[in-house]
Amino acid sequence: MAQEVTLFDLASKPPSRLVLNYKSLPYKTHWLEFPDIAPHLQPLGIPPNTQGKSYTVPTIHLPSSPSYPDGENIMDSKAIAIALEAKYPEPHLHLDAPELGRAEELWMQLLRSLVGVFGPRVDSTLLNDRSREYTEANIHLEGKPDGDDAWASAKPMLGDIGALLKEKGGPYVLGET
């Protein structure tokens, strides 16, 4: 049985929990609000990111191992998935599939195109008052296309995502997997 992993996360960010659940790994979750991320993670000795925001979630703390006697801290969903796949290879995540790089690229383009549509709705529907005030003060959506303009800019990416799903017969990027 694997030792328990500690996950630091927002209630609205499921990807790392999906990997932990898929691999049937025991874990506990510390729920954080946006303004509490850095003040909570920094005192734990977690080094800041080298790019972007200094501290982000999800972040995990892996149990101690011969290579990491004090355990290992990892920020970023993709880095977490890679580390979990290396440490717990079964069931396999297929992170080495070439289609995944293209899917990630399209997903990020789509998010950038639609941030003016979903960003304000996330603030008003998913976040509590403390996190909403923090994001309103720190994440600026002014000038981002919204409404019909945003959907028009996203349309080519949606078509590309549909084509990528069809390449392997869907319903997933890797077909049935």
Side-chain angles (χ1 to χ4, degrees):
M1 179 82 165
Q3 291 180 303
E4 189 172 68
V5 173
T6 302
L7 170 68
F8 301 94
D9 207 356
L10 296 171
S12 61
K13 295 191 70 163
S16 294
R17 287 192 302 276
L18 292 174
V19 172
L20 291 163
N21 290 334
Y22 178 71
K23 290 187 170 283
S24 298
L25 296 173
Y27 67 96
K28 62 183 174 186
T29 304
H30 288 273
W31 302 111
L32 301 174
E33 296 298 333
F34 275 110
D36 302 328
I37 294 169
H40 189 85
L41 297 180
Q42 190 173 17
L44 298 175
I46 298 172
N49 286 313
T50 56
Q51 296 179 1
K53 296 237 178 247
S54 296
Y55 291 93
T56 58
V57 291
T59 296
I60 63 168
H61 176 77
L62 292 172
S64 62
S65 67
S67 301
Y68 298 95
D70 295 326
E72 183 179 6
N73 298 302
I74 304 162
M75 280 189 275
D76 181 65
S77 295
K78 184 175 181 179
I80 289 168
I82 291 168
L84 291 173
E85 181 75 352
K87 188 168 176 119
Y88 309 101
E90 294 298 328
H92 189 38
L93 292 175
H94 305 283
L95 297 175
D96 53 354
E99 297 85 358
L100 293 184
R102 181 75 179 129
E104 275 183 59
E105 178 185 317
L106 288 168
W107 179 248
M108 293 310 298
Q109 289 174 8
L110 184 64
L111 290 178
R112 282 190 293 274
S113 293
L114 295 175
V115 70
V117 173
F118 67 78
R121 287 167 181 82
V122 167
D123 283 358
S124 65
T125 58
L126 295 178
L127 302 179
N128 67 27
D129 291 341
R130 285 187 69 234
S131 285
R132 185 173 34 259
E133 289 168 8
Y134 178 87
T135 60
E136 288 171 355
N138 293 284
I139 299 173
H140 304 288
L141 299 175
E142 297 86 19
K144 302 288 184 189
D146 61 2
D148 290 343
D149 291 340
W151 287 107
S153 71
K155 189 174 182 175
M157 283 151 287
L158 292 168
D160 289 346
I161 290 169
L164 182 62
L165 290 169
K166 288 178 183 175
E167 282 178 17
K168 298 276 184 168
Y172 306 107
V173 173
L174 298 179
E176 294 294 323
T177 303

